[in-house]
Amino acid sequence: MQIIMKEKVTEVAELVSERFDDGLDVSTLRCVTEFDGVERVADGTVAFSVDSKSRGKGIVFLVSNDAFPEVVGEDVAQAREIATRVSPQVSRHILTPLHEGRIGEVTYAAYHRLSPISNFGLVRILQKRRVTKMLFPWIIGLARETRVARYRSAEIERYFEHPLLSLRDDEEVSIAVRDRADRFLGLIRAGSPNLFTALQHGDLWIGNILFERKPFQNLNPALGNFAVIDWRSARADGYPCIDLVRFCSSVYKTGARSNDKCVLAYREALELDPIDFQIHCLSSLGRLANELNQMPKKLFVALCDRTLNFVDAHSRN
């Protein structure tokens, strides 16, 4: 399948090369998606990289798989639509492609090659600090600019009570998660929490943050601008807080002081107390329980436990 797909992508790379300022060396086209036996979502994409004729530049192609041919096209459409909902300061970090289309039955998109965070110990630690400083105001801006208060009974029922009921009644998740969902249902029905929806990325971890390539590649996050990828799970009527939890969990260990600082600053910026913060996080999990799509249930159960552990560690007071 990879060989057949590579042949198809080669044809597209030749087309894109004509539009790329530096031209592409199509002979360097290679698959960069790792197939290491780790359980993957069924609608996962395949990535190919091709070098430019100029040193240090190039293009990355994302290609959908045969079982879910529309996912890349849907991702691109979602990213473009989300970008219209926010300010230029926020939208400029939403990655959109140079070129998009179809290869046979599947969809693809071509992007300037960006760099992930380094895998090298000390460099990675320094980059994490820089990445957090760069991304944190963006996460707050995303929520602030798209915040919609939910105070009508029908809205509270739809966005908070129903998701928490789903989580409470899901016998596959831990008792601790179910008990917390039940407790929050009581608080919501008492009418005390500060509830609102906001634009939610849905999978905002460090692997979905890429950086402009610079001559010193291992320092890219310290030198270059950042872009957020993979907008397929984004929702305009999502929840605040959960994107921050997902990002912080992927950068620092649960219990780290850096997480305490981020959560406190986020809560203050959005005027959320610790219970508000937790309710939004668990409500997002409850909605996800009803919309798992291609996410394996055991991964969802593990996500619930990790999220509860994080909020207990960093949003108690």
Side-chain angles (χ1 to χ4, degrees), residues 42 67-68 79 84 91 137 142 212 225 227 234-235 302 313:
F68 295 89
T84 67
S91 67
L142 194 68
E212 179 184 357
N225 206 350
R235 299 190 63 127

PDB file of all heavy atoms in Angstrom, residues 42 67-68 79 84 91 137 142 212 225 227 234-235 302 313:
ATOM      1  N   ALA A  42      -8.135   4.458  13.466  1.00  0.00           N
ATOM      2  CA  ALA A  42      -8.361   3.850  12.153  1.00  0.00           C
ATOM      3  C   ALA A  42      -8.319   4.860  11.022  1.00  0.00           C
ATOM      4  O   ALA A  42      -8.039   4.506   9.879  1.00  0.00           O
ATOM      5  CB  ALA A  42      -9.701   3.118  12.158  1.00  0.00           C
ATOM      6  N   ALA A  67      -9.475   3.589   3.824  1.00  0.00           N
ATOM      7  CA  ALA A  67     -10.705   3.345   4.578  1.00  0.00           C
ATOM      8  C   ALA A  67     -11.429   4.643   4.931  1.00  0.00           C
ATOM      9  O   ALA A  67     -12.655   4.662   5.068  1.00  0.00           O
ATOM     10  CB  ALA A  67     -10.395   2.549   5.845  1.00  0.00           C
ATOM     11  N   PHE A  68     -10.658   5.726   5.067  1.00  0.00           N
ATOM     12  CA  PHE A  68     -11.229   7.031   5.423  1.00  0.00           C
ATOM     13  C   PHE A  68     -10.652   8.083   4.476  1.00  0.00           C
ATOM     14  O   PHE A  68      -9.806   8.894   4.867  1.00  0.00           O
ATOM     15  CB  PHE A  68     -10.933   7.362   6.890  1.00  0.00           C
ATOM     16  CG  PHE A  68     -11.590   6.426   7.860  1.00  0.00           C
ATOM     17  CD1 PHE A  68     -10.937   5.267   8.259  1.00  0.00           C
ATOM     18  CD2 PHE A  68     -12.864   6.677   8.338  1.00  0.00           C
ATOM     19  CE1 PHE A  68     -11.545   4.383   9.136  1.00  0.00           C
ATOM     20  CE2 PHE A  68     -13.479   5.799   9.217  1.00  0.00           C
ATOM     21  CZ  PHE A  68     -12.820   4.649   9.615  1.00  0.00           C
ATOM     22  N   ALA A  79      -9.729  23.587   9.403  1.00  0.00           N
ATOM     23  CA  ALA A  79      -8.719  24.590   9.766  1.00  0.00           C
ATOM     24  C   ALA A  79      -9.051  25.937   9.137  1.00  0.00           C
ATOM     25  O   ALA A  79      -8.944  26.988   9.790  1.00  0.00           O
ATOM     26  CB  ALA A  79      -7.337  24.119   9.327  1.00  0.00           C
ATOM     27  N   THR A  84     -11.368  31.636  10.363  1.00  0.00           N
ATOM     28  CA  THR A  84     -12.256  32.786  10.138  1.00  0.00           C
ATOM     29  C   THR A  84     -12.941  33.251  11.420  1.00  0.00           C
ATOM     30  O   THR A  84     -13.527  34.334  11.440  1.00  0.00           O
ATOM     31  CB  THR A  84     -13.336  32.443   9.101  1.00  0.00           C
ATOM     32  OG1 THR A  84     -14.230  31.446   9.637  1.00  0.00           O
ATOM     33  CG2 THR A  84     -12.726  31.926   7.807  1.00  0.00           C
ATOM     34  N   SER A  91      -5.245  33.341  14.325  1.00  0.00           N
ATOM     35  CA  SER A  91      -5.381  32.533  13.105  1.00  0.00           C
ATOM     36  C   SER A  91      -4.051  32.304  12.396  1.00  0.00           C
ATOM     37  O   SER A  91      -3.890  31.301  11.689  1.00  0.00           O
ATOM     38  CB  SER A  91      -6.377  33.182  12.141  1.00  0.00           C
ATOM     39  OG  SER A  91      -5.887  34.416  11.641  1.00  0.00           O
ATOM     40  N   PRO A 137      -0.152  32.111  25.708  1.00  0.00           N
ATOM     41  CA  PRO A 137      -1.064  33.223  25.383  1.00  0.00           C
ATOM     42  C   PRO A 137      -2.002  32.878  24.234  1.00  0.00           C
ATOM     43  O   PRO A 137      -3.145  33.364  24.191  1.00  0.00           O
ATOM     44  CB  PRO A 137      -0.107  34.359  24.985  1.00  0.00           C
ATOM     45  CG  PRO A 137       1.198  34.002  25.594  1.00  0.00           C
ATOM     46  CD  PRO A 137       1.259  32.502  25.560  1.00  0.00           C
ATOM     47  N   LEU A 142      -7.458  31.826  22.186  1.00  0.00           N
ATOM     48  CA  LEU A 142      -8.412  30.957  21.498  1.00  0.00           C
ATOM     49  C   LEU A 142      -9.709  30.846  22.292  1.00  0.00           C
ATOM     50  O   LEU A 142     -10.808  30.909  21.724  1.00  0.00           O
ATOM     51  CB  LEU A 142      -7.794  29.569  21.302  1.00  0.00           C
ATOM     52  CG  LEU A 142      -8.485  28.621  20.333  1.00  0.00           C
ATOM     53  CD1 LEU A 142      -8.359  29.112  18.899  1.00  0.00           C
ATOM     54  CD2 LEU A 142      -7.897  27.212  20.466  1.00  0.00           C
ATOM     55  N   GLU A 212       8.716  26.846  12.565  1.00  0.00           N
ATOM     56  CA  GLU A 212       9.412  27.308  11.368  1.00  0.00           C
ATOM     57  C   GLU A 212      10.855  26.810  11.388  1.00  0.00           C
ATOM     58  O   GLU A 212      11.543  26.890  12.397  1.00  0.00           O
ATOM     59  CB  GLU A 212       9.380  28.839  11.345  1.00  0.00           C
ATOM     60  CG  GLU A 212      10.078  29.475  10.163  1.00  0.00           C
ATOM     61  CD  GLU A 212      10.086  30.985  10.283  1.00  0.00           C
ATOM     62  OE1 GLU A 212       9.503  31.515  11.254  1.00  0.00           O
ATOM     63  OE2 GLU A 212      10.681  31.628   9.413  1.00  0.00           O
ATOM     64  N   ASN A 225       8.721  30.671  14.439  1.00  0.00           N
ATOM     65  CA  ASN A 225       7.309  30.797  14.768  1.00  0.00           C
ATOM     66  C   ASN A 225       6.691  29.412  14.862  1.00  0.00           C
ATOM     67  O   ASN A 225       7.225  28.444  14.354  1.00  0.00           O
ATOM     68  CB  ASN A 225       6.614  31.607  13.676  1.00  0.00           C
ATOM     69  CG  ASN A 225       5.380  32.311  14.195  1.00  0.00           C
ATOM     70  OD1 ASN A 225       4.937  32.058  15.304  1.00  0.00           O
ATOM     71  ND2 ASN A 225       4.817  33.174  13.378  1.00  0.00           N
ATOM     72  N   ALA A 227       3.196  26.692  14.515  1.00  0.00           N
ATOM     73  CA  ALA A 227       1.928  26.445  13.828  1.00  0.00           C
ATOM     74  C   ALA A 227       1.258  25.242  14.469  1.00  0.00           C
ATOM     75  O   ALA A 227       1.924  24.277  14.855  1.00  0.00           O
ATOM     76  CB  ALA A 227       2.167  26.187  12.340  1.00  0.00           C
ATOM     77  N   ALA A 234     -11.524  19.673  16.008  1.00  0.00           N
ATOM     78  CA  ALA A 234     -11.881  21.000  16.542  1.00  0.00           C
ATOM     79  C   ALA A 234     -13.382  21.226  16.519  1.00  0.00           C
ATOM     80  O   ALA A 234     -14.094  20.733  15.639  1.00  0.00           O
ATOM     81  CB  ALA A 234     -11.179  22.088  15.744  1.00  0.00           C
ATOM     82  N   ARG A 235     -13.840  22.000  17.500  1.00  0.00           N
ATOM     83  CA  ARG A 235     -15.264  22.349  17.592  1.00  0.00           C
ATOM     84  C   ARG A 235     -15.386  23.802  18.006  1.00  0.00           C
ATOM     85  O   ARG A 235     -14.715  24.250  18.941  1.00  0.00           O
ATOM     86  CB  ARG A 235     -15.976  21.476  18.621  1.00  0.00           C
ATOM     87  CG  ARG A 235     -15.959  20.000  18.340  1.00  0.00           C
ATOM     88  CD  ARG A 235     -16.901  19.282  19.281  1.00  0.00           C
ATOM     89  NE  ARG A 235     -18.259  19.714  19.072  1.00  0.00           N
ATOM     90  CZ  ARG A 235     -19.269  18.868  18.837  1.00  0.00           C
ATOM     91  NH1 ARG A 235     -19.057  17.573  18.776  1.00  0.00           N
ATOM     92  NH2 ARG A 235     -20.500  19.326  18.667  1.00  0.00           N
ATOM     93  N   ALA A 302      -8.260   5.433  29.380  1.00  0.00           N
ATOM     94  CA  ALA A 302      -6.977   5.901  29.911  1.00  0.00           C
ATOM     95  C   ALA A 302      -6.923   7.424  29.932  1.00  0.00           C
ATOM     96  O   ALA A 302      -6.382   8.032  30.871  1.00  0.00           O
ATOM     97  CB  ALA A 302      -5.824   5.336  29.078  1.00  0.00           C
ATOM     98  N   ALA A 313      -4.313  17.141  40.626  1.00  0.00           N
ATOM     99  CA  ALA A 313      -2.982  17.610  41.003  1.00  0.00           C
ATOM    100  C   ALA A 313      -2.822  19.107  40.860  1.00  0.00           C
ATOM    101  O   ALA A 313      -2.053  19.737  41.596  1.00  0.00           O
ATOM    102  CB  ALA A 313      -1.923  16.900  40.157  1.00  0.00           C
TER     103      ALA A 313
END
